[in-house]
Amino acid sequence: MAKILDGKALAQEIRDELKIQIQNWINIGNRAPSLRCIIVGDDPASHTYVKNKIKAALDCGIEAQTLKYEATLSEEELLKVIKDLNADKNVDGILIQLPLPGDINERKACNAVAPEKDVDGFHITNAGQLFLDMPTIVPATALAVIEMLKRFKIETHGRNAVVVGRSKNVGMPIAVMLHSDAKHENGLGMDATVTICHRYTPQEQLEMYCRNADIIITATGVAKLIKAHMVKPGATVLDVGITRITTAEGKTKLVGDVDYDEVIKVAGAITPVPGGVGPMTVAMLMQNTFQAAQRSRKLQ
Ligand code: GUN
């Protein structure tokens, strides 16, 4: 049976560490780090995600507020909200919960956030710096995966890794860090050989690449995509997918991209869903916010 990589416990450990670091930082005369979450519209899942982020922030000692807007908010109005937060010296981190409804251009909105306050790491500057191995702000989910590999001491140097999913905010930044040179200045490189698979990878090719992998990271939102026969015995499997399904008994349940009950018998290590990468993502957002506050104070 695989070792279970308990993201919930690790995230709590990291949040406890951050809480102490933030309290020490406040004790030497700094104001609390501050986060603003913008949410537009009434998507229930997005509201739950934002509530969890705010709760985690307050728990760590980060001052946090949600700015809620109706789905009728125009792009121009949203850009004005972002502009005002960029100019506000009491705000360290800005997060725009995605997806945005209506005709608002998400890329334009993400690029409107000041790069130094972009705690989601979605700004073109932060994405570009990551691709160039420069110090940057890394999207929290991608950082969660890398932090789990590091903290659970999963060897990546020279190993074969497959990333299933090529989204710009999750799959791509994970693939970038996994393949990058660990000697580079941002300290994020993992020296793995990386294959990226996606919706147009033929099934037999997906199976072949996965079977050859020492590490599988999957982020597709396709429930039970990764089956036991696709996993090399002893491989590490990190599951970023979350899908809400209805069971035969009519109950709703969250499942990942991995056929967990079968893959656990083959893999060497595996993340559960829920309780794996998800809680770590929230912890990494807190880390990004504290780091943004520290950098901003250094510049003053
Ligand atoms: N929507 C789904 N995941 C995320 C995330 O990590 N950040 C933001 N801002 N929106 C999301």
Side-chain angles (χ1 to χ4, degrees), residues 74-249:
S74 69
E75 184 177 286
E76 202 185 343
E77 287 165 329
L78 176 62
L79 295 178
K80 173 76 169 68
V81 170
I82 298 167
K83 194 174 170 207
D84 290 346
L85 292 173
N86 286 343
D88 188 339
K89 288 197 162 44
N90 290 319
V91 171
D92 299 304
I94 303 167
L95 178 151
I96 307 163
Q97 186 63 28
L98 302 180
L100 288 167
D103 295 332
I104 302 177
N105 181 323
E106 285 185 358
R107 180 60 13 234
K108 215 167 160 184
C110 291
N111 286 346
V113 176
E116 66 278 11
K117 296 190 180 188
D118 168 39
V119 288
D120 253 333
F122 293 171
H123 190 281
I124 185 172
T125 298
N126 286 318
Q129 286 174 166
L130 179 65
F131 290 179
L132 295 172
D133 300 329
M134 293 164 72
T136 191
I137 305 178
V138 179
T141 306
L143 195 56
V145 165
I146 299 302
E147 191 69 21
M148 289 181 89
L149 291 171
K150 284 185 178 162
R151 294 225 184 196
F152 288 116
K153 299 193 170 20
I154 308 292
E155 182 60 85
T156 56
H157 183 94
R159 298 287 161 93
N160 287 330
V162 167
V163 180
V164 189
R166 58 176 171 180
S167 69
K168 296 296 173 235
N169 299 336
V170 182
M172 279 304 291
I174 291 169
V176 167
M177 289 184 280
L178 276 172
H179 92 274
S180 292
D181 190 333
K183 290 200 273 307
H184 274 149
E185 60 173 320
N186 66 5
L188 296 165
M190 305 293 277
D191 287 335
T193 304
V194 179
T195 303
I196 302 169
C197 297
H198 49 73
R199 70 176 73 235
Y200 299 117
T201 306
Q203 182 64 27
E204 71 275 12
Q205 297 275 315
L206 174 65
E207 295 188 6
M208 180 193 80
Y209 287 122
C210 285
R211 261 201 310 272
N212 189 44
D214 303 298
I215 301 158
I216 299 173
I217 320 276
T218 179
T220 68
V222 178
K224 299 193 179 183
L225 176 70
I226 308 297
K227 309 271 189 217
H229 74 274
M230 298 163 69
V231 176
K232 180 159 97 174
T236 297
V237 181
L238 272 72
D239 190 350
V240 185
I242 305 177
T243 308
R244 193 175 294 275
I245 61 157
T246 307
T247 63
E249 298 81 41

Side-chain angles (χ1 to χ4, degrees), residues 17-18 20-26 28 30-34 62 89 91-93 116-117 119 137 284-300:
E17 289 167 15
L18 273 174
I20 295 168
Q21 288 166 14
I22 290 171
Q23 192 53 57
N24 289 341
W25 198 66
I26 293 169
I28 59 169
N30 295 294
R31 68 155 167 76
S34 68
I62 293 170
K89 288 197 162 44
V91 171
D92 299 304
E116 66 278 11
K117 296 190 180 188
V119 288
I137 305 178
M284 292 300 98
L285 176 67
M286 301 305 120
Q287 185 173 293
N288 280 351
T289 305
F290 182 38
Q291 288 175 356
Q294 288 174 300
R295 278 192 298 270
S296 132
R297 233 43 52 81
K298 264 191 205 139
L299 294 173
Q300 278 168 22

